[in-house]
């Protein structure tokens, strides 16, 4: 409970033991010093930790004319305290405490509540309580609250004990508590403290408990979503615990009172898809849309714009508006009219909200797009790594014709200025599954390497936006992309130059480097030299003698699959085209072979017989490599070493057991050894 307030409060008259009204007496304000009162005992200090304001107690007001806390302390009593005749301040204070305790004791379940608080105080210090003792305390706690949990959960100090009981309970005990509270969950959701109890019950993902609790909110969504306490727990339940059907039941109540009363859907199936509902009953279109608009406007006006349920409802409303209608224009004004832009910012971090923001960018005029983009200022970096927010940035890339506006709004915040790059941010952009899409989308487009199966919905939304763009955009898509690439290239090249080693440490980081160097515009010499420097040193797989076994140093980049692939790609100077079966070299060429060779020249044989042997092969096949003759001469001198590496192991069909007895055909014979070394030997024979 909250401690007593230190601020002065209303003076209260003292009472006689017989309950009669006390006479007014003058407060003692003399300047005599009295002995300091002894410190309260342990039991008294425990009681002092709890506020008795709920029980009618009140702190005493400082008397007029007193000289402040120092003066009241010298008097040895509370300033302005009214005393009975012949009564000292200590006696008055003791009597006041006694009256407060008597009031508490007179309340229902006073002893039980007091005991549950003592148990909670012990149980909450988990590391200080042995397991056996904790189990005994939990059993005692359940023996107190079982059968009368409803009396405990509405008391702000006792509900904590019930939450502790749920924390240490068995599945059967949790179900028992859930069933005992049945019928009271809507009331608990409106309680400032008891609403957390609902979350404690649902966090265990018990389907039986979930199906007990959630249906109790049906028919009460409009009331609870507007309640200052219940709205948050209701939205948490909708977002994280409810099934698809339960979500549909709750969202349908945004369409009108009849959907709160009658919950049956078409042929027994419950749907919250407003387009299907309007198709079944087109005569109710205006009524449903008006009711839905009023509910959303009400929450927007109250600044309660962070609810997932609100964003789902707004998306349903928008999808059923006719293009160029007055309703659509009014909806734009509602979204743009939100002060501080909290609505749009909150929408960016939910699935429906992000999709709605993208559609607003697609359908909006140039002025609307500019205002939406301005609203997200100082939020782009956070959005870039969000599973939903990153789509708004991609939509801005593809939809806004003013590329100068897009560049100045997004790139300095997401990438940082070229002279003030943050290594942590650059590594994050290269490796985060969502942020890497934001940083490389303009280079790679809708490639499978950038959009794996987990991001299939991103591609669906982009295709939808591209269809809308055909009627709302005036600039060619490829021209827009090239202009944005030119704007972001300085930061990207500076990032590779400054943090090549950190980026090359991961597979995604190597892909980031390759995409930037192959697709960025501008002088790439410094970046190529920085990448080549990561190959320096002897590619020795053995750990140094002084290496920490717990934190070993990373392996040489040539010994990693992603490192070898990076060097091979840059030496080739382009991407492989599956249709033609050749590498499409970029213009102007990178000439990375001439930059890399001097760095690895001293250890070229180790590269040729190691995991990155194809890098050496790429040097020989590069059309712009100037030291080809020198490399061939060096490899010929180490021909026996290459032959030993090429014939290291022979794997035949007889040495490999078939995976399944049902298969008649065994595995195909494979030749072992280093494949890159074998191809190098063929180059030497040519």
């Amino acid at each position: 409970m909250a401690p007593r307030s230190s601020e002065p409060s209303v003076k209260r008259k003292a009472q006689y033991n017989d309950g009669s009204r006390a006479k007014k007496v003058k407060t003692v304000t003399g300047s005599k010093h009295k002995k300091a009162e002894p410190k309260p005992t342990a039991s008294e200090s425990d009681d002092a930790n709890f506020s008795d304001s709920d029980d009618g107690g009140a702190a005493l007001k400082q008397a007029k004319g007193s000289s402040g806390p120092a003066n009241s302390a010298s008097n040895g009593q509370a300033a302005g305290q009214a005393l009975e005749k012949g009564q000292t301040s200590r006696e008055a204070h003791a009597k006041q405490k006694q009256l407060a305790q008597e009031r508490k004791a007179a309340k229902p379940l006073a002893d039980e509540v007091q005991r549950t608080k003592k148990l909670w105080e012990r149980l909450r210090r988990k590391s200080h309580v042995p397991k056996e003792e904790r189990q005994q305390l939990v059993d005692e706690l359940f023996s107190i609250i079982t059968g009368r949990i409803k009396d405990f959960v509405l008391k702000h100090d006792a509900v904590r004990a019930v939450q502790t009981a749920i924390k240490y309970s068995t599945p059967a005990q949790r179900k028992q508590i859930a069933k005992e509270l049945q019928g009271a969950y809507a009331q608990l959701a409106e309680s400032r403290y008891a609403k957390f109890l609902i979350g404690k019950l649902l966090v265990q993902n018990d389907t039986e408990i979930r199906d007990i609790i959630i249906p109790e909110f049906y028919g009460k969504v409009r009331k609870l979503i507007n309640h200052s306490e219940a709205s948050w727990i209701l939205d948490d339940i909708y977002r994280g615990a409810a099934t698809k059907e339960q979500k549909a039941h709750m969202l349908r109540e945004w369409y009108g009172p009849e959907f709160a009363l009658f919950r049956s859907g078409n042929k027994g199936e419950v749907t919250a898809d407003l387009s299907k509902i309007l198709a079944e009953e087109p005569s109710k279109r205006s009524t449903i849309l008006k009711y839905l608009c009023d509910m959303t406007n009400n929450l927007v006006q109250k600044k309660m714009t962070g609810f997932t349920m609100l964003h789902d409802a707004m998306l349903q409303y928008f999808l059923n508006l006719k293009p160029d209608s007055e309703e659509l224009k009014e909806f734009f004004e509602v979204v743009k009219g939100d002060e501080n832009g909290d609505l749009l910012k909150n929408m960016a971090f939910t699935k429906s909200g992000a999709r709605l923001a993208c559609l607003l960018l697609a359908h909006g005029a140039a002025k609307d797009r500019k205002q939406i983009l301005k609203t997200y200022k100082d939020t782009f970096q956070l959005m870039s790594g969000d599973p939903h927010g990153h789509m708004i940035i991609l939509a801005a890339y593809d939809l806004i014709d003013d590329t100068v506006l897009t560049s100045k709004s997004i790139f300095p915040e997401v990438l940082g200025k070229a002279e003030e790059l943050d290594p942590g941010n650059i590594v994050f952009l290269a490796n985060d599954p969502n942020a890497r899409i934001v940083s490389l989308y303009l280079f790679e487009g809708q490639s499978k390497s950038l959009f794996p199966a987990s991001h299939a919905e991103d591609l669906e939304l982009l295709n939808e936006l591209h269809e809308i763009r055909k009627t709302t955009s005036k600039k060619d898509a490829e021209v827009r992309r090239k202009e944005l690439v030119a704007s972001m290239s300085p930061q990207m090249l500076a990032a590779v130059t400054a943090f090549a080693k950190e980026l090359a440490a991961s597979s995604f980081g190597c892909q980031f480097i390759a995409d930037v160097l192959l697709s960025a515009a501008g002088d790439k010499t410094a970046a190529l030299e920085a990448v080549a420097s990561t190959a320096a040193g002897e590619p020795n797989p053995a750990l140094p003698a002084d290496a920490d076994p717990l934190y070993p140093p990373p392996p040489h980049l040539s010994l990693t699959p992603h490192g070898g692939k990076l060097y091979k790609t840059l030496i080739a100077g382009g991407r492989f085209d599956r249709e033609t079966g050749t590498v499409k070299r970029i213009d102007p060429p990178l000439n990375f072979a001439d930059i890399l060779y001097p760095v690895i020249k001293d250890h070229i044989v180790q590269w040729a017989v190691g995991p990155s042997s194809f890098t050496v092969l790429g040097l020989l096949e590069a059309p712009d490599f100037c030291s080809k003759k020198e490399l061939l001469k060096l490899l010929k001198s180490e021909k026996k070493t290459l032959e030993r590496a090429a014939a290291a192991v022979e794997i035949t069909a007889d040495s490999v057991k078939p995976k399944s007895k049902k298969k008649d055909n065994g595995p195909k014979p494979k030749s072992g050894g280093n494949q890159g070394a074998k191809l190098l030997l063929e180059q030497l024979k040519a």
Side-chain angles (χ1 to χ4, degrees):
M1 297 179 67
R4 291 184 184 274
S5 174
S6 59
E7 298 179 1
S9 56
V10 179
K11 187 196 307 181
R12 184 178 59 192
K13 298 175 182 178
Q15 295 180 351
Y16 291 107
N17 292 333
D18 58 0
S20 61
R21 187 172 182 179
K23 295 181 179 180
K24 289 186 178 180
V25 295
K26 294 182 179 179
T27 57
V28 181
T29 56
S31 59
K32 281 189 175 184
H33 294 273
K34 293 188 177 182
K35 294 182 179 179
E37 296 182 11
K39 293 182 179 179
T41 62
S43 61
E44 291 174 342
S45 62
D46 288 344
D47 291 336
N49 288 335
F50 298 96
S51 171
D52 56 356
S53 58
D54 294 340
D55 304 321
L60 299 180
K61 189 175 182 180
Q62 183 174 330
K64 294 181 179 179
S66 62
S67 58
N71 188 34
S72 63
S74 66
N75 291 336
Q77 62 186 38
Q81 180 179 348
L83 303 177
E84 296 182 6
K85 187 175 182 180
Q87 191 178 43
T88 65
S89 63
R90 183 181 299 178
E91 292 170 346
H93 180 67
K95 185 171 182 180
Q96 184 183 11
K97 273 181 87 172
Q98 181 183 358
L99 290 172
Q101 291 173 355
E102 289 174 356
R103 285 194 298 272
K104 288 181 181 179
K107 288 186 174 183
L109 300 175
D111 295 337
E112 290 84 351
V113 171
Q114 187 64 23
R115 180 57 184 160
T116 58
K117 289 195 290 188
K118 295 294 183 183
L119 293 172
W120 173 77
E121 280 289 347
R122 183 67 177 149
L123 283 169
R124 71 187 182 91
R125 304 182 68 192
K126 182 177 180 180
S127 59
H128 294 72
V129 182
K131 186 177 180 180
E132 296 77 10
E133 182 185 352
R134 183 168 67 244
Q135 188 58 48
Q136 293 176 2
L137 295 174
V138 171
D139 292 341
E140 182 182 354
L141 185 57
F142 267 97
S143 67
I144 295 173
I145 65 175
T146 300
R148 45 190 176 184
I149 293 180
K150 288 184 181 179
D151 298 326
F152 281 88
V153 294
L154 294 177
K155 298 179 183 293
H156 73 281
D157 50 353
V159 71
R160 294 177 297 185
V162 180
Q163 292 182 37
T164 303
I166 295 173
K167 179 179 179 181
Y168 294 111
S169 63
T170 63
Q173 288 172 327
R174 282 196 296 272
K175 291 177 184 177
Q176 178 187 347
I177 293 174
K179 290 177 181 178
E180 193 170 331
L181 290 172
Q182 202 164 2
Y185 287 108
Q187 183 184 4
L188 297 181
E190 295 177 343
S191 170
R192 183 178 180 183
Y193 301 98
K195 65 180 180 182
F196 299 110
L197 181 68
I198 303 175
K200 284 282 186 181
L201 287 170
L202 290 172
V203 76
Q204 304 296 334
N205 295 324
D206 189 301
T207 56
E208 185 177 346
I209 294 176
R210 179 197 66 200
D211 293 339
I212 290 173
I213 295 175
I214 296 180
E216 292 204 13
F217 297 109
Y218 295 168
K220 304 170 185 175
V221 170
R222 181 184 176 94
K223 175 188 175 185
L224 295 178
I225 199 65
N226 285 281
H227 192 277
S228 58
E229 300 293 344
S231 55
W232 294 104
I233 188 65
L234 179 68
D235 194 66
D236 286 345
I237 291 170
Y238 175 85
R239 181 180 67 252
T243 63
K244 183 179 180 180
E245 183 179 353
Q246 289 168 340
K247 286 183 178 180
H249 274 298
M250 298 169 76
L251 190 59
R252 282 167 64 92
E253 295 187 30
W254 290 66
Y255 304 155
E258 62 182 283
F259 294 95
L261 298 173
F262 308 104
R263 303 180 195 129
S264 60
N266 182 28
K267 298 180 182 180
E269 180 184 355
V270 179
T271 179
D273 190 337
L274 186 55
S275 60
K276 294 182 180 179
I277 296 173
L278 294 179
E280 293 176 4
E281 301 181 61
S283 61
K284 296 182 179 180
R285 182 181 184 278
S286 59
T287 305
I288 291 175
L289 290 181
K290 185 178 185 307
Y291 190 90
L292 177 55
C293 183
D294 290 342
M295 277 196 70
T296 56
N297 283 346
N298 189 31
L299 290 175
V300 172
Q301 295 301 321
K302 289 182 177 180
K303 307 298 180 185
M304 301 169 68
T305 57
F307 301 136
T308 303
M309 199 185 308
L310 170 65
H311 303 161
D312 287 353
M314 292 178 68
L315 178 62
Q316 290 296 325
Y317 180 80
F318 180 85
L319 292 176
N320 287 277
L321 297 179
K322 298 178 181 178
D324 301 324
S325 64
E326 288 298 321
E327 294 170 328
L328 183 61
K329 294 178 182 178
E330 291 176 2
F331 185 80
F332 263 99
E333 293 304 318
V334 169
V335 175
K336 295 189 301 179
D338 178 48
E339 298 178 6
N340 303 324
D342 290 339
L343 175 59
L344 279 169
K345 290 179 180 178
N346 286 323
M347 284 166 51
F349 301 99
T350 65
K351 181 179 178 180
S352 295
R355 184 186 174 193
L356 177 57
C358 292
L359 292 174
L360 290 173
L361 282 171
H363 288 282
K367 187 176 180 181
D368 298 328
R369 293 170 177 172
K370 181 177 181 180
Q371 187 169 347
I372 292 173
L373 210 60
K374 185 179 179 181
T375 302
Y376 286 120
K377 184 181 180 182
D378 300 328
T379 315
F380 286 115
Q381 190 173 27
L382 187 62
M383 291 164 57
S384 65
D386 186 77
H388 310 297
H390 73 279
M391 284 303 303
I392 300 176
I393 300 179
L394 300 188
Y397 290 163
D398 285 347
L399 298 172
I400 300 178
D401 291 340
D402 188 350
T403 54
V404 175
L405 171 66
T406 307
S407 302
K408 290 184 177 179
S409 301
I410 298 176
F411 296 152
E413 189 174 332
V414 174
L415 304 176
K417 296 181 180 179
E419 62 276 7
E420 299 176 359
L421 294 174
D422 178 15
N425 182 49
I426 296 300
V427 173
F428 169 77
L429 286 173
N431 292 280
D432 183 80
N434 302 304
R436 62 190 295 269
I437 297 177
V438 172
S439 58
L440 299 178
Y441 175 68
L442 294 171
F443 294 150
E444 285 203 30
Q446 298 184 14
S447 66
K448 291 183 179 179
S449 60
L450 200 59
F451 291 91
S454 59
H455 288 70
E457 292 182 354
D458 292 358
L459 294 176
E460 293 177 6
L461 179 56
L462 286 173
N463 292 332
E464 181 183 358
L465 297 177
H466 292 169
E467 287 297 318
I468 301 172
R469 181 178 65 182
K470 293 177 181 179
T471 58
T472 60
S473 178
K474 299 179 181 179
K475 182 174 287 189
D476 180 72
E478 183 61 19
V479 173
R480 182 192 298 104
R481 187 193 70 82
K482 288 182 178 179
E483 290 177 355
L484 291 173
V485 166
S487 297
M488 72 185 303
S489 291
Q491 290 104 312
M492 300 292 272
L493 290 172
V496 173
T497 303
F499 311 115
K501 185 177 180 181
E502 291 84 350
L503 290 169
S506 66
S507 176
F508 281 158
C510 288
Q511 182 184 350
F512 180 91
I513 293 174
D515 286 339
V516 171
L517 292 177
L518 291 176
S519 303
D523 186 7
K524 305 173 185 177
T525 305
L528 290 168
E529 291 175 351
V531 174
S533 67
T534 62
E538 183 181 2
N540 188 357
L543 294 175
D546 57 345
D548 187 347
L550 296 178
Y551 303 99
H556 192 274
L557 206 57
S558 66
L559 303 178
T560 62
H562 52 268
K565 186 177 180 180
L566 170 65
Y567 298 136
K568 181 183 175 184
T569 301
L570 295 180
I571 290 170
R575 293 187 175 90
F576 182 77
D577 186 2
R578 293 185 178 181
E579 294 182 0
T580 61
T582 58
V583 174
K584 286 188 175 181
R585 294 172 59 84
I586 63 171
D587 187 30
L590 295 178
N591 296 325
F592 184 67
D594 290 332
I595 299 175
L596 179 65
Y597 180 68
V599 177
I600 65 173
K601 178 180 178 180
D602 295 338
H603 308 288
I604 195 68
V605 177
Q606 290 173 275
W607 281 70
V609 298
S612 295
S613 56
F614 281 93
T615 301
V616 182
L617 181 65
L619 292 174
L620 293 176
E621 294 177 346
D624 53 1
F625 183 43
C626 299
S627 303
K628 183 176 181 179
K629 292 182 180 179
E630 179 184 347
L631 177 58
L632 284 171
K633 183 179 180 181
L634 184 59
L635 292 175
K636 285 179 180 179
S637 65
E638 297 289 342
K639 185 176 181 180
K640 292 184 179 180
T641 305
L642 292 174
E643 290 175 346
R644 285 196 298 270
V649 183
E650 284 295 332
I651 304 176
T652 62
D654 297 333
S655 63
V656 179
K657 295 181 180 180
K659 295 182 179 180
S660 175
K661 295 181 180 179
K662 296 180 181 179
K663 295 181 179 180
D664 297 331
N665 299 327
K668 295 180 180 180
K670 294 182 180 180
S671 58
N674 191 308
Q675 298 298 313
K678 289 184 178 182
L679 295 174
L680 286 173
L681 288 172
E682 294 179 5
Q683 288 281 339
L684 296 179
K685 294 177 183 178

